[in-house]
Amino acid sequence: MMLHRLIAAIFFIALMLVSVTTINAQSVRPPGNAVNQSTDEQIGTSNTLGPDSQSKYWHDLRQGKSGLSTTGRSGGLLIQAQGEQWRLIRKNYIIKYSGWVLAAVLVILVLFFLIRGKIRLKGGRSGQTISRFSLPHRTAHWFMASIFIMLGLSGLILLLGRTALAPLIGKNVYSIFASAAMQGHNLFGPLFIVALVWMYYLFVPGNFFKMVDLKWILKGGGLIGGHASAGHYNFGEKVWFWAVAIVGLLISITGIILEFPWLSANLQLLQISTIVHAIGAVGLIAFALGHIYIGTIGMEGALDSMTTGDVDVNWAKEHHDLWYEEVTGEKSATHDQGETGHAQVYSQDKITGV
Amino acid sequence: MSFLQIVEGPLFYIAAAIFLIGAIWRVIGIIKIGHKRDLAPPKGSGKVGFVAGNLRHFLPRKIFAKRTWVHIIAGYSFHFGLFALLLFAAPHIDFARDRILGFDWPALPRWGFIIAAQFAFAGLIMLWVRRFSDPVMRLISDWDDHIGSWLTFLVMLTGCLALQESHNALKAIHMLFVDVWLIYFPFSRLMHAGTFFLSRGYTGATYGRKGMTL
Amino acid sequence: MSAVAQKAVSKFLEFIDADIAAYAESCVHCGECAEACHFYLATKDPKYTPTYKLFPLVKAYKRHKAPLSGLKKMLGLVPAEVTEDELREWEPLVYDACTMCGRCTLVCPMGIDIAGTIRKMREGFVAAGIVPEGLSVAAANAERTGSPMGVTLKALSAQIVRQEKETGIKIEIDKKGADYMAILSSMEIMGYPEIIGAYAKLFKQAGVSWTISSEAFEATNVGVQIGDGKMAKMLVQRIVDAAEKLKVKHVISPECGHAYGALRWAGPNMVGKEFSFKVVHIIELLDQLRREGRIPAGEKDGRRMTLHDPCQLIRRGGLLQEPRTLLDDSCSDFIEMEGAGIANLCCGGGGGVSANERARELQMAAFAQKLKQINDLGDIDAVVVPCANCRTVFEDGLDEFEVDLEVVGLGELVAETLASK
């Protein structure tokens, strides 16, 4: 098991490195038409507001009709036409929708809390606990959480600040926030990779999908269709794990590209990276909001697993019955009885091996 | 006088004075409590033991390292990172030259600073995270532990956020936290930085007199 | 503050010297000490974290004695007074759950001597009258007879006569002007009297002139275990008086952990003067005689053996190498356990814990840790335990866990493997 996880972690890191280096290898271009001066059309400062339409101007640029340029890493390119597309995508889609997505998630969570309320333990707390997460698991989790929060906050300031913050606090004050956020984001970024690899290594066992997950989906995780059985991790948690692992990997790779832009000569790569990075991060933050909600005020007894590491026996039976049976070697009486599932049916003296 | 001028001027000097006087007062206060003279004939030297004890406790013992490796790695990572930042960050050296010492020494390059900061942050976060997720540390930790961790964290964080050195406001916030930290230090558990050598040394001296090899 | 708590706090403050002040100031609550404590290892209960056991004393220090505490008190930043309830809550932690083995000091990044501080802390508990019953009985016995088990001179004499018969060597009591005066622990006299015969045999061969005092033959110092300074001093004084009366040059401390520390290191400080004689541990003496060629080793014992390091002799007494040299000479198949020497695990019954009936369950759990350490070695025929108290703890524990393992004293083993003249 140990070896399996180690190999998985090494593979994970290798994948990250390989993808960064191969992308860079492809991106190295000779400085092509660096010294060529176009003669058939005049473009330059005098022409930007000239008789030619803006669309023609951009069209020509895209066709490679470059004018005066310098030699350098960006292939002697003075103006890169895709930059405008990037700017528009960023402004009109990413910034616009990411704000709405996050706001919508928050609204949904508030509504859910108001309607459904805190998911209580049906049988109350038994007072007996079983161990769910070891100290290394908890340490890795909170390490990741701390880094994630700092990166999330600084990242959102960078992404949405100009639209959402600057009008409120003024451009001068916002420039302070932006400077701080950029430094902080760059500083904590590499630590995210450390946290990600460490967490992946510790949490991957038990997070592979199984048949029981399909049943869990059909029952809507217990929200519809009665009790949904689950092992150590339920389907939702597995999705969260893989989202963090895969999207986290993408964010890490694009983050490295963005933090060390001199590694790459390809502007387009940087542009794509910012887009992937932003979409991935907003998605993860939205997911994280739900994760934080269910882990704290959303469900009674859930937070214990990450503070003391021990959860109440009734919590284990109600939410992770298969895991409970696996650990204690006894029936939890909950699963496959669906609707009933009254905690009263378990007698205390049956709990052995706890 | 601007906010920055206050926090790096008068307030800084007041804080530094409280820090120095308080810390020295406390260390001398401990030493002055004194000991009774040991009448048992010694087998070895207490003075040698004092030094040996101080050195020996820098190194973890193998038999415990298996269990306490997280603390060892995080602790060293944090402390080394912190001292590298404190002593070799270019703005710190400039500050020391211009305001206190009048001379300077080579600074870390920027990448060195970033790496040191990452070690320091990773270590500190890890140590603090264990304070509430390890049942043992949960039980024995008090508000002083948490305030100390957080203040140090905020000093480090505000310092790193000001890394672009383009806004006086960021520098001022950093200096404000530095001042608070300096004032808090002598009254708190942060003082371990000034008392650990006594603690290790006194035990080492007892061991030394008994002729024990540590 | 109640009168009871007041008594304890005054004693705490009286005993806080620069050492303890530095310890209280330096602890950063990292919790690593838990990983060194056999009571924590056995139960995983955080309350057995060694530094936690010191909390009432540290509170009293921070409120009343710490530098700058006056200023902090004005700002309301000192901890509250120690209450009687707290002391009662901590009493089992201080008495049942600490053998003062000092293993925690090794792992502590600040090098804090928690064991030594617990010893001083117990003075406060004794002053407040908050002590476990088992230990009070032992203390009452010691007060009456000088021995925690109530061993009388009559009982000792009977054992001596028996050993004389067995060995055919005359053992002289109260011999004036002898070089060495041996003292013994109650456990040895009652449980392992062969050690008296072993002394006779070894000293005869080495040509050492020795005696046993009829007035002070008991080495166990309950005062030190329970934390009663007055009684500890009385028991040490008794030995000092007898040694001075017989004009001996040395007093031999027996194979007993706390007895050695009590007499060798704490003794002169308790009676307030340097001794007119030297205190040597029997292991030290045997090692010296061996090196001088006065007790040459003979045929080695072939059993597979390991050595238990009694905390007060090895970790806190400094006799690290001597027992090993002796064992190498006496035993052909001697292997060490993990952490042997300074970091060895305690048997779980030191510091008065084995005399404390209430602590039995916890003590056995701690012994299970010790047993695991031995079992990890594979097949072992015997374990050498050079401490009478550890030895009874071992025999009791092995019995409890139904393990077949022989427990032998070091002195006897050396005597048995002596080269015949």
Side-chain angles (χ1 to χ4, degrees):
Chain A
M1 189 44 126
M2 187 79 178
L3 192 67
H4 160 81
R5 281 200 277 169
L6 197 62
I7 292 167
I10 292 168
F11 177 72
F12 201 66
I13 301 169
L15 190 62
M16 212 181 283
L17 291 173
V18 166
S19 40
V20 171
T21 47
T22 50
I23 290 167
N24 283 335
Q26 289 162 1
S27 69
V28 178
R29 298 191 307 185
N33 49 3
V35 288
N36 290 352
Q37 192 164 359
S38 169
T39 45
D40 38 63
E41 247 184 74
Q42 267 246 291
I43 24 171
T45 41
S46 65
N47 222 18
T48 47
L49 297 170
D52 288 339
S53 70
Q54 285 278 313
S55 62
K56 181 173 186 308
Y57 170 77
W58 286 113
H59 177 262
D60 288 349
L61 274 175
R62 259 178 239 118
Q63 298 309 308
K65 294 201 175 182
S66 46
L68 279 169
S69 39
T70 56
T71 52
R73 283 207 188 83
S74 48
L77 216 59
L78 185 62
I79 298 177
Q80 188 237 21
Q82 286 82 2
E84 179 64 4
Q85 286 175 344
W86 170 77
R87 196 178 69 83
L88 291 175
I89 293 174
R90 201 174 125 85
K91 187 170 158 235
N92 293 344
Y93 295 94
I94 297 181
I95 293 178
K96 190 170 165 190
Y97 290 110
S98 57
W100 288 120
V101 164
L102 293 178
V105 170
L106 281 176
V107 169
I108 291 170
L109 288 176
V110 170
L111 284 178
F112 187 80
F113 185 68
L114 291 175
I115 296 164
R116 178 71 171 77
K118 189 170 194 160
I119 300 171
R120 302 235 164 243
L121 288 175
K122 290 179 198 124
R125 284 184 185 258
S126 69
Q128 284 168 301
T129 58
I130 53 175
S131 172
R132 180 157 169 82
F133 288 117
S134 72
L135 184 56
H137 281 88
R138 271 139 48 211
T139 311
H141 169 267
W142 289 114
F143 183 68
M144 169 58 109
S146 312
I147 307 282
F148 189 93
I149 288 169
M150 280 183 283
L151 286 169
L153 285 176
S154 55
L156 286 176
I157 290 174
L158 290 173
L159 183 67
L160 305 177
R162 223 163 104 181
T163 322
L165 269 182
L168 293 175
I169 57 177
K171 281 188 176 171
N172 286 334
V173 181
Y174 172 66
S175 80
I176 297 172
F177 273 81
S179 164
M182 189 190 76
Q183 296 302 329
H185 203 77
N186 284 349
L187 186 72
F188 285 105
L191 291 182
F192 176 82
I193 299 174
V194 175
L196 185 67
V197 172
W198 189 20
M199 253 193 91
Y200 180 83
Y201 171 78
L202 283 176
F203 282 81
V204 73
N207 260 312
F208 294 101
F209 295 101
K210 289 191 180 135
M211 266 314 285
V212 65
D213 295 315
L214 194 64
K215 288 188 210 160
W216 192 92
I217 301 166
L218 292 175
K219 290 181 175 181
L223 290 175
I224 44 167
H227 179 85
S229 283
H232 194 286
Y233 301 106
N234 65 33
F235 178 74
E237 288 168 312
K238 288 176 184 176
V239 170
W240 175 222
F241 172 81
W242 288 109
V244 171
I246 294 165
V247 180
L249 179 69
L250 278 176
I251 290 182
S252 301
I253 294 165
T254 52
I256 292 171
I257 294 169
L258 290 169
E259 181 154 2
F260 307 103
W262 56 85
L263 291 177
S264 142
N266 189 340
L267 268 181
Q268 214 170 344
L269 177 70
L270 292 173
Q271 287 156 351
I272 293 169
S273 292
T274 60
I275 291 168
V276 171
H277 197 82
I279 295 174
V282 169
L284 274 191
I285 292 170
F287 215 142
L289 290 173
H291 172 71
I292 294 168
Y293 169 80
I294 200 78
T296 54
I297 56 168
M299 181 186 282
E300 183 182 5
L303 191 61
D304 297 350
S305 62
M306 271 302 163
T307 52
T308 62
D310 300 326
V311 292
D312 197 274
V313 163
N314 283 351
W315 186 89
K317 286 175 184 169
E318 283 173 35
H319 300 295
H320 297 274
D321 49 354
L322 299 178
W323 168 66
Y324 175 80
E325 285 167 19
E326 192 188 307
V327 174
T328 62
E330 68 168 86
K331 279 288 212 197
S332 74
T334 330
H335 78 104
D336 295 334
Q337 292 185 5
E339 307 60 39
T340 58
H342 289 303
Q344 284 77 6
V345 301
Y346 336 125
S347 68
Q348 291 293 332
D349 52 57
K350 274 172 74 183
I351 300 165
T352 51
V354 177
Chain B
M1 206 180 235
S2 75
F3 182 53
L4 175 62
Q5 282 169 326
I6 294 171
V7 290
E8 69 174 6
L11 189 59
F12 173 74
Y13 291 114
I14 292 169
I18 292 175
F19 167 79
L20 275 178
I21 295 168
I24 292 170
W25 180 283
R26 203 155 151 189
V27 171
I28 291 178
I30 295 165
I31 296 171
K32 271 179 69 185
I33 294 173
H35 324 248
K36 282 188 188 153
R37 195 167 73 88
D38 187 4
L39 296 169
K43 263 189 174 178
S45 159
K47 288 196 182 84
V48 172
F50 190 98
V51 177
N54 262 293
L55 297 177
R56 182 62 188 84
H57 284 276
F58 276 118
L59 305 170
R61 276 170 208 275
K62 221 170 119 196
I63 191 167
F64 304 118
K66 271 185 291 187
R67 296 172 170 281
T68 57
W69 65 272
V70 175
H71 272 179
I72 292 162
I73 293 174
Y76 269 112
S77 167
F78 163 63
H79 282 97
F80 274 129
L82 181 71
F83 289 131
L85 296 181
L86 182 67
L87 299 175
F88 295 104
H92 292 173
I93 296 174
D94 291 348
F95 187 85
R97 180 194 56 218
D98 298 342
R99 295 192 174 258
I100 312 167
L101 299 170
F103 60 90
D104 59 12
W105 55 94
L108 274 176
R110 196 181 163 82
W111 58 264
F113 178 94
I114 302 271
I115 289 174
Q118 274 161 352
F119 274 99
F121 276 112
L124 182 58
I125 292 170
M126 201 101 84
L127 292 174
W128 178 69
V129 152
R130 305 248 311 181
R131 277 217 182 280
F132 63 84
S133 57
D134 171 17
V136 166
M137 285 184 83
R138 246 171 113 86
L139 179 72
I140 60 179
S141 297
D142 55 22
W143 53 267
D144 194 1
D145 295 313
H146 290 282
I147 294 175
S149 301
W150 270 93
L151 264 184
T152 308
F153 175 75
L154 286 171
V155 168
M156 280 164 37
L157 182 71
T158 53
C160 291
L161 295 186
L163 208 53
Q164 210 170 27
E165 297 181 62
S166 58
H167 295 275
N168 279 345
L170 291 175
K171 188 178 177 190
I173 292 170
H174 177 53
M175 285 309 298
L176 177 68
F177 277 110
V178 169
D179 296 344
V180 174
W181 190 90
L182 287 171
I183 294 168
Y184 184 70
F185 183 94
F187 302 97
S188 71
R189 194 160 288 122
L190 294 174
M191 262 306 286
H192 74 275
T195 57
F196 82 93
F197 80 98
L198 288 177
S199 169
R200 288 180 183 182
Y202 286 149
T203 300
T206 308
Y207 277 35
R209 279 197 300 276
K210 289 184 181 178
M212 288 155 67
T213 39
L214 275 160
Chain C
M1 185 161 56
S2 75
V4 174
Q6 180 66 58
K7 277 184 197 159
V9 169
S10 317
K11 266 283 184 241
F12 289 165
L13 297 176
E14 184 191 325
F15 273 92
I16 291 171
D17 56 5
D19 293 30
I20 296 181
Y23 300 152
E25 298 273 357
S26 301
C27 178
V28 287
H29 293 166
C30 71
E32 287 191 25
C33 46
E35 302 296 348
C37 179
H38 46 308
F39 292 114
Y40 173 79
L41 293 176
T43 59
K44 294 284 170 194
D45 188 335
K47 75 179 180 194
Y48 294 131
T49 305
T51 192
Y52 185 67
K53 297 168 193 168
L54 302 179
F55 270 27
L57 176 116
V58 174
K59 264 177 94 177
Y61 166 77
K62 291 205 162 155
R63 189 176 174 87
H64 298 288
K65 204 164 178 171
L68 298 179
S69 61
L71 189 61
K72 282 169 89 175
K73 204 181 261 175
M74 282 192 283
L75 300 167
L77 292 174
V78 288
E81 279 294 1
V82 178
T83 63
E84 190 181 335
D85 286 345
E86 260 174 321
L87 292 172
R88 292 201 184 281
E89 189 188 334
W90 253 264
E91 186 237 340
L93 297 182
V94 171
Y95 282 102
D96 301 13
C98 181
T99 53
M100 304 197 277
C101 79
R103 197 165 183 252
C104 40
T105 302
L106 301 182
V107 73
C108 177
M110 302 291 161
I112 296 172
D113 178 13
I114 294 175
T117 310
I118 288 279
R119 154 82 184 86
K120 308 257 168 75
M121 203 174 159
R122 286 185 180 182
E123 295 276 355
F125 280 82
V126 169
I130 305 176
V131 286
E133 210 182 320
L135 281 178
S136 333
V137 173
N141 274 337
E143 189 107 50
R144 196 163 38 81
T145 62
S147 152
M149 290 164 77
V151 178
T152 57
L153 179 61
K154 210 173 138 199
L156 173 68
S157 305
Q159 298 285 36
I160 289 179
V161 170
R162 205 165 300 152
Q163 290 302 317
E164 282 177 330
K165 266 193 203 143
E166 210 129 295
T167 56
I169 303 169
K170 176 85 185 126
I171 298 167
E172 289 180 81
I173 310 261
D174 290 333
K175 184 166 107 182
K176 274 215 170 122
D179 283 341
Y180 291 86
M181 176 179 109
I183 51 175
L184 299 159
S185 82
S186 308
M187 307 277 193
E188 286 178 313
I189 299 167
M190 302 313 290
Y192 320 111
E194 317 79 56
I195 191 68
I196 303 172
Y199 276 23
K201 198 174 153 196
L202 287 162
F203 292 155
K204 185 173 177 230
Q205 176 138 356
V208 167
S209 105
W210 72 295
T211 187
I212 294 176
S213 163
S214 61
E215 283 163 21
F217 50 83
E218 174 61 66
T220 316
N221 194 321
V222 191
V224 166
Q225 289 178 334
I226 195 170
D228 183 341
K230 232 172 80 194
M231 177 181 293
K233 182 184 168 181
M234 187 264 280
L235 294 171
V236 169
Q237 191 67 52
R238 199 189 293 231
I239 296 168
V240 173
D241 291 346
E244 284 176 352
K245 194 170 156 195
L246 295 178
K247 298 197 167 53
V248 295
K249 296 191 188 83
H250 302 89
V251 170
I252 305 168
S253 185
E255 292 183 37
C256 171
H258 282 91
Y260 177 63
L263 191 64
R264 173 69 178 87
W265 299 113
N269 298 310
M270 281 195 277
V271 298
K273 60 166 194 184
E274 287 175 35
F275 293 160
S276 59
F277 52 88
K278 272 190 181 161
V279 179
V280 288
H281 193 269
I282 180 66
I283 294 177
E284 250 178 323
L285 180 59
L286 292 181
D287 181 59
Q288 184 200 329
L289 296 175
R290 171 67 43 87
R291 274 187 285 111
E292 289 169 1
R294 291 160 75 179
I295 46 167
E299 200 181 323
K300 291 183 181 182
D301 193 317
R303 288 176 294 176
R304 194 171 173 77
M305 291 192 199
T306 187
L307 171 70
H308 166 69
D309 293 281
C311 316
Q312 305 303 322
L313 297 182
I314 282 80
R315 184 160 39 243
R316 297 174 66 74
L319 301 176
L320 185 63
Q321 208 40 60
E322 291 87 343
R324 298 188 152 74
T325 330
L326 289 171
L327 261 175
D328 280 336
D329 284 349
S330 308
C331 174
S332 58
D333 194 4
F334 166 50
I335 59 166
E336 297 267 30
M337 38 187 130
E338 198 199 4
I342 198 161
N344 214 333
L345 269 173
C346 171
C347 67
V353 171
S354 63
N356 179 356
E357 195 48 43
R358 185 185 62 192
R360 185 172 165 83
E361 199 182 326
L362 195 57
Q363 185 206 324
M364 281 303 155
F367 181 75
Q369 297 288 314
K370 183 79 224 177
L371 198 56
K372 189 181 164 295
Q373 199 190 13
I374 295 173
N375 283 340
D376 285 347
L377 291 175
D379 270 340
I380 292 287
D381 298 319
V383 54
V384 180
V385 183
C387 165
N389 186 59
C390 298
R391 205 165 152 184
T392 46
V393 170
F394 263 81
E395 287 181 349
D396 191 12
L398 292 171
D399 201 37
E400 173 90 16
F401 293 105
E402 293 172 3
V403 176
D404 190 25
L405 180 68
E406 203 171 336
V407 185
V408 288
L410 185 55
E412 294 147 62
L413 188 67
V414 174
E416 275 164 23
T417 54
L418 203 56
S420 46
K421 253 188 179 166

